[in-house]
Amino acid sequence: GWPLRLGFRPGAGDPGGLAVVFGWRSKNAAGSHFEAYQDGIDAAKALLLCVEAVAAARPGEPMHFFAHSLGTHVTLHCLAEAVEQGSVIAERLRRVVLIGGSEFSGVAFPIYNTLKEQGLLNRLAIYNVANARDRVTKRISELATYGPNGAKHMICHHGLKPTGGTALGNGQPGWIDLDLANPAFRNW
């Protein structure tokens, strides 16, 4: 499974390391990702409860998130919920890796601002691994109705940007866009 591919092996690395998998239904009964998007808010609250239980069992340990596709929607809303509730998780987060993020940029931007206003981005790094050439998520974005607050663009294509604005690019505290389609990244 994916924990082995990320380096979690018995006897390798940090012997106290722990990987927790959180699964949620990213399609509704009719098989629609678009309608399941709303269910992601409830999944985010459930994820926060799970992570808080792990945090209680492992006091003082830093926390990291790794999310893909609609899981980025759940993860970002979990972060927002952690801040809103004053959860210990907000203070212990160190790294968030978002891959192929199927979250609207106009939704991610206010969450980012909340994290920034709370001073959490001094110790938290969010890596948004994007691919502007990803045809599947590009097509989903084209077919989608507009997201909340008129958002249309997804972070997997445009990175962090306010609704109706231009992409902010790198240089924002705590947020790093890594575009796999960028020739400089490929050469690296």
Side-chain angles (χ1 to χ4, degrees):
W2 68 263
L4 292 174
R5 289 187 216 121
L6 291 175
F8 287 94
R9 288 179 175 74
D14 178 5
L18 175 68
V20 177
V21 177
F22 179 81
W24 72 291
R25 196 170 212 37
S26 61
K27 290 183 182 179
N28 69 358
S32 170
H33 287 295
F34 303 116
E35 292 176 17
Y37 179 86
Q38 294 303 321
D39 295 338
I41 305 297
D42 291 333
K45 293 174 183 177
L47 174 59
L48 181 59
L49 291 174
C50 291
V51 175
E52 285 177 333
V54 171
R58 300 175 66 88
E61 293 290 323
M63 308 292 282
H64 311 282
F65 281 83
F66 185 93
H68 173 256
S69 192
L70 274 175
T72 63
H73 166 66
V74 174
T75 298
L76 288 170
H77 282 275
C78 177
L79 300 180
E81 189 74 16
V83 169
E84 185 178 312
Q85 291 186 17
S87 171
V88 66
I89 301 307
E91 297 297 322
R92 291 175 52 187
L93 274 171
R94 296 296 175 265
R95 191 174 327 145
V96 175
V97 178
L98 307 173
I99 297 181
S102 295
E103 178 57 281
F104 292 102
S105 298
V107 173
F109 186 72
I111 294 172
Y112 166 81
N113 277 337
T114 298
L115 297 171
K116 186 176 174 182
E117 289 165 5
Q118 295 297 316
L120 299 176
L121 296 175
N122 298 331
R123 64 183 164 280
L124 169 64
I126 301 172
Y127 298 91
N128 176 42
V129 181
N131 186 351
R133 293 184 182 170
D134 182 336
R135 287 178 278 172
V136 173
T137 52
K138 185 174 183 179
R139 184 69 177 142
I140 290 171
S141 182
E142 290 168 356
L143 293 173
T145 56
Y146 286 92
N149 304 321
K152 176 71 173 169
H153 302 287
M154 292 186 179
I155 61 173
C156 63
H157 296 136
H158 301 278
L160 186 65
K161 75 180 233 178
T163 301
T166 58
L168 301 178
N170 291 325
Q172 301 305 308
W175 184 283
I176 300 159
D177 286 320
L178 301 169
D179 184 0
L180 299 179
N182 184 322
F185 186 80
R186 286 198 315 258
N187 291 337
W188 177 69

